[in-house]
């Protein structure tokens, strides 16, 4: 018998009931549960759950889901391949097991229970007084047990996680022993982990694909995945000689069967056209053997992350590749995440491009918004939420955008390891009009090109303001802007059409004002710090004693000082 704690058994006239449906289960062997009460209609089919992601590195738990915007709810289907005495599934701010919102299935060895619970700051579990994970059904199948449940985006329950656009950190835990009560579950002792997904996928109608569409697979050539937790693998591919201009109109992942939990994300970059040739390479991206020239392959053609679906271009635009002025050389980069350190796994994953010779009306373009890669923008150590903002100003869009404007249809947010939130807003006539893309639970370990729910029109004179929030609580010295992984970035790569000459529209603080800040710090500081011009900006930041005064003055400097604006064409030449 399976009981829903905290509610009386109730008949089930509709699945929209606020109460969690109490279900009766027959117990077979230790813990095989089979649904006896038939719910109205049947259990939804697999095709009803278009999105799918493995939760754990072994693939024992597989989550599928669908999103209903009219109901403002997510329906989950969780496949448990090797059920022992239950499991925890839920969401938290950044994937912690403390202060988490959980659905728990547990067994005391005789009865099985399902309920909506939450964990406090110490990780102690409590039954939620308001049951918002609604159990809809369970069924036994040869591959394991399927649990179906539903959760509204917003429940108005202070103990619940608010499901919103952007990244969601899902957590799971497997119960390996019977437990006599929910409170007896010790979170620190269970085998668990986290998985990041974009739960609220946009409800996009798939454009019609042309009859002359062809495909090309850019895949790793039967690579042996290194037996270490993290590997970035680089492989060079090339287009056929004399390949004419085509439009990429969609792409999708090709993941080797059995490696679904190891292939974390993949990107295909096109190399710079100014070099006639690029060396062949197949190996780790951080290897000493990697030719330096591969660093000139940075123009993103496609990017996929675990849990993402196929990416479609809008029907009036395609991404140009091939033809004169375009490099034949492509670089595939795959991030393997192998925490269980499997040895000898072979992989031929990659990305399948769908392209057409019948060019669409517009070329799609990619524009960089946010902050310039420069050390003048820095984050003091020990900050839990330090904010930096980069501007694409009205003067730049006035000069560079066509009178009819551009349409942004997708966006990829990017920071390094300290990034926690990223948002870009569109401002017109000094007022914020629209959010272009926002991720309040952003993770640098989960970067995908996301199709926007609705296109954003940007006209000459509009401003695009990108704000990043950073956490440096684990750092002892300042973090400066730059290309290194321990330096920081704040970027939104927006995908738009029609393509313009504007490739980069970013800002940074005016360096002259930063020097005034260094002088001020020097005047107020007891020990003399050398703030002389011959010392580099990062060195000056590293030598600042980070008291409250120096932190607050830097914050306000970034808020009020004039900015240096970069309004660049593709050849890194600035618009006048």
């Amino acid at each position: 018998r399976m009981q829903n704690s905290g509610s009386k058994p109730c008949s089930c006239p509709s699945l929209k009931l606020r109460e969690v449906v109490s279900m009766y289960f027959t117990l077979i062997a230790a813990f095989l549960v089979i649904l006896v009460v038939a719910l109205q209609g049947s259990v939804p089919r697999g095709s009803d759950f278009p999105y799918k992601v493995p939760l754990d590195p072994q693939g024992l738990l597989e989550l599928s889901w669908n999103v209903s915007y009219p109901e403002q709810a997510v329906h989950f289907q969780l496949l448990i391949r090797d059920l022992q005495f239950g499991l925890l599934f839920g969401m938290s701010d950044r994937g912690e097991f403390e202060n988490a919102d959980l659905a728990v299935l547990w067994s005391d060895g005789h009865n099985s229970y399902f309920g909506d619970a939450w964990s406090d700051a110490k990780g102690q579990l409590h039954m939620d007084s308001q049951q918002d994970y609604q159990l809809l059904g369970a069924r036994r199948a040869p591959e394991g047990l399927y649990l179906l449940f539903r959760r509204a985006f917003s429940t108005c329950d202070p103990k619940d996680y608010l499901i919103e656009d952007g990244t969601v950190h899902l957590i799971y835990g497997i119960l390996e022993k019977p437990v006599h009560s929910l409170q007896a579950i010790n979170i620190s002792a269970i085998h668990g982990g986290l998985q990041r997904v974009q739960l609220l996928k946009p409800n996009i109608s798939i454009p019609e694909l042309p009859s002359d569409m062809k495909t090309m697979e850019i895949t790793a050539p039967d690579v042996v995945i290194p037996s270490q937790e993290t590997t970035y693998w680089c492989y060079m591919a090339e287009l056929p000689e004399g390949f004419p201009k085509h439009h990429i109109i969609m792409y999708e992942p090709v993941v080797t069967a059995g490696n679904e939990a190891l292939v974390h994300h993949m990107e295909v970059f096109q190399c710079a056209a100014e070099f006639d040739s690029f060396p062949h390479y197949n190996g780790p991206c951080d290897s000493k053997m990697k030719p330096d020239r591969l660093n000139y392959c940075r123009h993103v053609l496609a990017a996929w992350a675990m849990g993402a679906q196929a990416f479609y271009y809008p029907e009036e635009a395609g991404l140009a590749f091939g033809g004169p002025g375009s490099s034949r050389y492509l670089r595939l980069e795959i991030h393997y995440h192998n925490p269980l350190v499997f040895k000898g796994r072979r992989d031929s994953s990659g990305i399948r491009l769908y392209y057409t010779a019948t060019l669409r009306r517009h070329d799609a373009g990619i524009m960089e918004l946010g902050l310039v890669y420069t050390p003048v923008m820095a984050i003091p150590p020990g900050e839990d939420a330090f904010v930096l903002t980069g501007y694409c100003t009205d003067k730049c869009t006035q000069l560079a955008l066509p009178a009819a404007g551009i349409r942004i249809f997708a966006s990829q947010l990017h920071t390094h390891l300290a990034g926690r939130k990223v948002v870009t807003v569109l401002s017109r006539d000094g007022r914020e009009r629209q959010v272009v893309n926002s991720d309040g639970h952003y993770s640098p370990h989960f970067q995908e090109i996301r199709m926007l729910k609705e296109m954003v029109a940007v006209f000459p004179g509009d401003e695009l303001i990108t704000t990043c929030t950073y956490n440096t609580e684990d750092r002892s010295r300042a973090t400066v802007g730059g290309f290194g992984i321990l330096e920081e970035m704040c970027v939104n790569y927006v995908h738009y059409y029609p393509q313009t000459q504007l490739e980069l529209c970013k800002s940074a603080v005016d360096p002259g004002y930063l020097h005034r800040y260094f002088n001020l710090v020097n005047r107020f500081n007891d020990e003399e710090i050398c703030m002389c011009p011959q010392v580099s900006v990062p060195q000056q930041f590293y030598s600042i004693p980070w008291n409250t005064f120096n932190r607050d003055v830097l914050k306000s400097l970034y808020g009020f000082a004039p900015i240096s604006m970069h309004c660049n064409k593709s050849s890194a030449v600035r618009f006048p």
Side-chain angles (χ1 to χ4, degrees):
R1 174 176 161 171
M2 183 158 190
Q3 297 161 355
N4 261 105
S5 307
S7 67
K8 297 190 187 74
C10 59
S11 64
C12 183
S14 116
L15 297 187
K16 291 198 179 66
L17 277 179
R18 292 295 302 133
E19 304 97 314
V20 175
V21 183
S22 210
M23 322 230 65
Y24 292 86
F25 285 86
T26 311
L27 202 74
I28 294 177
F31 196 48
L32 297 184
V33 281
I34 294 175
L35 185 62
V36 175
V37 171
L39 291 160
Q40 288 177 309
S42 61
V43 170
R45 298 179 308 282
S47 57
D48 297 336
F49 297 95
Y51 313 116
K52 188 164 88 172
V53 69
L55 287 183
D56 65 307
Q58 282 172 288
L60 295 176
L61 299 173
E62 189 175 276
L63 181 74
S64 315
W65 74 97
N66 68 40
V67 182
S68 167
Y69 287 102
E71 287 183 43
Q72 293 279 293
V74 181
H75 290 89
F76 295 103
Q77 173 180 274
L78 187 54
L79 166 61
I80 309 159
R81 291 187 197 277
D82 179 20
L83 182 59
Q84 298 177 15
F85 292 93
L87 90 159
L88 289 70
F89 166 82
M91 307 166 213
S92 67
D93 182 35
R94 305 209 60 83
E96 321 84 352
F97 275 86
E98 296 76 32
N99 299 319
D101 176 9
L102 298 158
V104 187
L105 173 67
W106 78 97
S107 165
D108 55 15
H110 306 289
N111 293 323
S112 313
Y113 305 89
F114 177 92
D116 177 351
W118 55 276
S119 63
D120 59 27
K122 294 197 172 80
Q124 179 63 48
L125 290 188
H126 305 270
M127 187 56 69
D128 200 332
S129 56
Q130 183 177 313
Q131 293 282 306
D132 291 302
Y133 283 104
Q134 288 176 275
L135 183 64
L136 301 178
R139 65 186 167 99
R140 192 84 208 161
E143 61 271 26
L145 175 78
Y146 285 96
L147 268 192
L148 284 106
F149 49 98
R150 172 188 187 277
R151 168 71 153 68
F153 299 171
S154 168
T155 60
C156 301
D157 175 347
K159 299 293 181 208
D160 283 354
Y161 180 96
L162 173 66
I163 301 175
E164 44 192 357
D165 289 338
T167 304
V168 177
H169 291 70
L170 301 176
I171 53 178
Y172 65 87
I174 295 167
L175 301 180
E176 291 165 339
K177 299 191 185 82
V179 282
H180 55 83
S181 74
L182 180 81
Q183 285 70 26
I185 296 172
N186 176 3
I187 277 189
S188 55
I190 58 178
H191 165 68
L194 89 136
Q195 179 63 285
R196 300 174 184 92
V197 298
Q198 178 196 21
L199 270 187
L200 301 190
K201 302 282 188 187
N203 200 357
I204 284 172
S205 50
I206 293 175
E208 203 167 312
L209 299 171
S211 53
D212 68 345
M213 183 172 74
K214 294 195 171 98
T215 64
M216 175 187 299
E217 292 192 359
I218 313 290
T219 53
D222 197 27
V223 165
V224 176
I225 300 176
S227 50
Q228 58 193 42
E229 178 162 356
T230 301
T231 303
Y232 282 83
W233 194 270
C234 282
Y235 169 66
M236 292 296 287
E238 55 188 287
L239 300 173
E241 194 85 59
F243 185 77
K245 178 176 171 178
H246 288 79
H247 270 164
I248 297 172
I249 52 177
M250 73 169 273
Y251 59 81
E252 64 186 2
V254 181
V255 178
T256 300
N259 293 348
E260 292 84 0
L262 299 179
V263 178
H264 185 274
H265 70 252
M266 305 186 278
E267 292 187 88
V268 175
F269 299 93
Q270 189 165 32
C271 299
E274 57 255 36
F275 298 101
D276 293 334
S277 72
F278 280 81
H280 281 280
Y281 181 70
N282 179 36
C285 302
D286 58 359
S287 160
K288 300 269 186 291
M289 305 303 289
K290 188 189 85 169
D292 286 345
R293 189 167 280 191
L294 268 56
N295 296 335
Y296 291 92
C297 305
R298 302 189 78 90
H299 176 72
V300 179
L301 287 185
W304 171 89
M306 203 182 253
Q309 302 299 105
F311 181 92
Y312 293 90
Y313 280 83
E315 38 206 311
E316 54 278 20
L319 187 65
F321 79 137
S326 162
S327 174
R328 283 177 46 222
Y329 294 89
L330 307 176
R331 174 169 70 94
L332 171 70
E333 182 176 305
I334 303 181
H335 172 190
Y336 294 113
H337 180 59
N338 184 9
L340 301 177
V341 198
F342 293 119
K343 289 187 171 59
R345 283 282 187 100
R346 292 190 167 270
D347 186 68
S348 301
S349 299
I351 286 180
R352 184 181 295 123
L353 303 174
Y354 290 75
Y355 61 99
T356 171
T358 313
L359 300 182
R360 290 178 166 184
R361 205 162 95 226
H362 301 293
D363 283 349
I366 299 172
M367 189 192 304
E368 284 190 40
L369 306 175
L371 288 173
V372 184
Y373 309 126
T374 162
V376 301
M377 302 305 291
I379 305 137
E383 291 283 344
D384 69 331
F386 195 87
V387 173
L388 293 178
T389 299
Y391 300 88
C392 173
T393 60
D394 49 351
K395 291 193 180 71
C396 183
T397 60
Q398 193 70 59
L399 209 58
L401 299 188
I406 58 170
R407 304 283 177 281
I408 298 176
F409 59 86
S411 153
Q412 181 183 19
L413 305 173
H414 179 75
T415 73
H416 285 173
L417 302 178
R420 294 292 178 270
K421 295 179 183 188
V422 187
V423 57
T424 297
V425 295
L426 169 80
S427 157
R428 185 171 296 148
D429 305 325
R431 284 181 45 218
E432 287 187 8
R433 298 299 168 109
Q434 200 175 352
V435 173
V436 178
N437 190 5
S438 161
D439 195 340
H441 301 273
Y442 171 84
S443 167
H445 305 293
F446 187 59
Q447 306 188 19
E448 50 181 1
I449 300 176
R450 292 183 178 157
M451 294 177 272
L452 301 184
K453 286 200 171 105
E454 49 198 48
M455 286 200 209
V456 176
V458 186
F459 295 100
D462 287 355
E463 292 177 90
L464 292 159
I465 303 167
T466 302
T467 300
C468 295
T469 305
Y470 299 95
N471 180 301
T472 55
E473 286 178 308
D474 59 345
R475 300 192 180 185
S476 53
R477 71 173 193 180
T479 300
V480 297
F483 289 96
I485 195 66
L486 292 174
E487 297 173 331
E488 266 312 328
M489 294 187 168
C490 176
V491 190
N492 182 354
Y493 298 96
V494 292
H495 295 245
Y496 72 96
Y497 68 86
Q499 187 172 28
T500 66
Q501 285 197 298
L502 183 60
E503 278 220 344
L504 183 151
C505 188
K506 299 159 95 173
S507 73
V509 71
D510 180 289
Y513 275 74
L514 184 67
H515 284 290
R516 294 184 195 182
Y517 168 75
F518 289 143
N519 289 333
L520 181 76
V521 166
N522 224 351
R523 293 204 344 244
F524 274 83
N525 194 47
D526 301 340
E527 335 64 281
E528 188 66 24
I529 310 165
C530 180
M531 294 292 179
C532 3
Q534 61 269 32
V535 174
S536 71
V537 167
Q539 286 316 126
Q540 297 191 65
F541 271 121
Y542 299 152
S543 60
I544 290 178
W546 289 108
N547 55 39
T548 319
F549 177 79
N550 291 345
R551 288 172 192 270
D552 289 352
V553 176
L554 183 66
K555 263 180 214 166
S556 48
L557 174 89
Y558 286 149
F560 83 84
I563 56 174
S564 139
M565 186 59 211
H566 292 232
C567 183
N568 295 11
K569 301 182 187 185
S570 50
S571 45
V573 177
R574 294 198 194 182
F575 278 88

